[in-house]
Amino acid sequence: MTGTWSEAQERLQQRERQRQWLTWRVLRVEQESRDIRSFYLQPEEGTPVAFAPGQHIPVGDPLQVRLPMGSFTLDHTSDRPLVLVGAGVGITPLIAMLREQLALGLGRRIYLFHGSRTLADLPFQHELAELQQHAGGLLSIHRALSLPESQAVQGRDYAFASRLGIEQIKATLPLDDYDFYLCGPASFTQDLYEGLRTVHVPDARIHAEAFGPSTLRRHTDDNQPTLQQPPPASEPVPVYFASSAKEARWAPGGGTLLELAESRGLSPDFSCRGGSCGTCKTKLVSGQVHYPNPPAELPEAGSVLICCAVPAQAEDGVQAVVLEL
Ligand code: FES
């Protein structure tokens, strides 16, 4: 941990706050597009109420929530032009970045690319128009529709009648040095990452979050994986869940440590199940792990993201994994 003692203390407290469940109330619900709905929440004191996934949530209902986690956040130390690229609901973290960047008033140039099937699938159009007006020429918006409606007008409602990809971005951006932020389905994010690397954008300039149980596979300029780690175990490994006094046996090809814990009747916290959010972070008491799809950001030493980790091969044979679960 770097910085002063008080900064380190503040970061530890922030991590602790992120793990707590808070009770907030649903203030209003807005339909942003055909598939996307926004929930506006307000903190409240009172008795916590559990939220069952799939439950319908009327306005006024209390909801248990956690503070945002993960590493897909704006780099405030950079003053390079910003390129935000989202597909479908991938616009949601990007619009938060956009609001934040414009509110900072730093005069940074911003290009927003958004892809969807149709005009009716594009969310936040009213807010984006307002932000663009407020940005005073700093924000340009480029939409790509793969199946535009007959009444949608190219040049007015959208720029490209195609799926969004590297070709549309190359055709739009003037030659410059940019920071890229990508969010969307795994194949979209991976294709875009590879396209940017092909035109020599450094790995460190590409920030990305992919949906689903698959994270971005990164590589360095000489095509090496960016993470050096021990290989996955090639033989069965005992796994002990210390807090619940349970044990299990992991076998090669047998899924993640989260799946193993669930198969033993445990219910660890999780959210994305893809290495993006940090919700499943668990203390690694002993042993080593391997990430087949490395997470967006590795947890600190002594912790493991169990949703995307499996036991690693020890140099001297089988080494048990002990988790504080
Ligand atoms: S990192 Fe999101 S559940 Fe594991």
Side-chain angles (χ1 to χ4, degrees):
M1 207 170 255
T2 56
T4 64
W5 285 108
S6 62
E7 285 166 350
Q9 179 73 13
E10 171 58 28
R11 284 203 292 275
L12 286 172
Q13 285 172 351
Q14 171 72 7
R15 276 187 202 158
E16 193 44 44
R17 281 198 296 274
Q18 284 177 324
R19 298 191 73 82
Q20 290 170 357
W21 287 101
L22 310 166
T23 303
W24 288 25
R25 189 165 289 277
V26 180
L27 206 56
R28 67 178 203 275
V29 179
E30 280 187 16
Q31 195 73 35
E32 304 287 2
S33 72
R34 201 152 45 192
D35 300 329
I36 299 176
R37 196 171 287 175
S38 289
F39 290 80
Y40 290 78
L41 305 177
Q42 186 180 50
E44 71 157 23
E45 301 300 324
T47 318
V49 177
F51 166 59
Q55 168 189 334
H56 294 279
I57 311 162
V59 171
D61 259 20
L63 198 63
Q64 280 202 300
V65 298
R66 275 178 163 176
L67 296 178
M69 288 197 267
S71 56
F72 190 56
T73 53
L74 273 180
D75 174 7
H76 295 297
T77 61
S78 169
D79 58 3
R80 284 182 286 272
L82 202 53
V83 184
L84 310 175
V85 191
V89 74
I91 185 77
T92 44
L94 303 180
I95 202 163
M97 291 179 182
L98 190 52
R99 289 180 198 129
E100 181 185 355
Q101 190 61 45
L102 292 175
L104 287 171
L106 299 176
R108 200 171 170 189
R109 183 78 172 84
I110 307 171
Y111 299 85
L112 173 69
F113 290 85
H114 190 199
S116 75
R117 276 173 306 164
T118 66
L119 207 51
D121 292 316
L122 284 172
F124 306 115
Q125 294 311 294
H126 183 64
E127 180 176 0
L128 282 172
E130 283 184 355
L131 287 173
Q132 196 167 23
Q133 208 173 14
H134 168 73
L138 286 174
L139 169 64
S140 57
I141 301 175
H142 311 274
R143 301 177 181 90
L145 302 180
S146 56
L147 285 172
E149 296 95 330
S150 54
Q151 74 274 17
V153 179
Q154 192 164 12
R156 183 194 69 185
D157 299 323
Y158 64 100
F160 304 102
S162 61
R163 291 187 67 214
L164 181 57
I166 188 66
E167 293 309 323
Q168 290 73 25
I169 291 170
K170 277 175 16 188
T172 307
L173 292 181
L175 201 60
D176 204 342
D177 190 14
Y178 300 99
D179 286 329
F180 290 88
Y181 289 80
L182 321 177
C183 188
S187 59
F188 165 84
T189 313
Q190 190 71 48
D191 288 352
L192 215 43
Y193 173 83
E194 301 298 346
L196 292 170
R197 299 291 282 120
T198 305
V199 292
H200 308 296
V201 176
D203 173 68
R205 295 280 166 78
I206 308 172
H207 309 260
E209 183 162 282
F211 306 155
S214 152
T215 51
L216 189 67
R217 289 183 307 282
R218 291 178 174 273
H219 47 85
T220 59
D221 288 339
D222 52 1
N223 223 20
Q224 298 299 309
T226 49
L227 172 66
Q228 303 300 325
Q229 57 174 342
S234 56
E235 50 195 314
V237 175
V239 178
Y240 299 104
F241 303 108
S243 306
S244 46
K246 289 190 172 180
E247 60 181 87
R249 198 164 184 78
W250 180 90
T256 65
L257 290 169
L258 173 59
E259 288 164 340
L260 189 69
E262 289 171 334
S263 74
R264 291 292 286 119
L266 301 180
S267 305
D269 285 341
F270 68 85
S271 180
C272 69
R273 294 183 87 100
S276 299
C277 70
T279 308
C280 66
K281 189 170 72 173
T282 301
K283 186 170 177 196
L284 180 64
V285 181
S286 65
Q288 281 185 297
V289 298
H290 169 89
Y291 293 101
N293 281 319
E297 186 185 24
L298 286 178
E300 66 273 14
S303 295
V304 53
L305 297 179
I306 57 173
C307 73
C308 51
V310 299
Q313 182 69 31
E315 278 181 11
D316 50 354
V318 174
Q319 186 186 14
V321 169
V322 183
L323 297 170
E324 195 172 273
L325 265 182

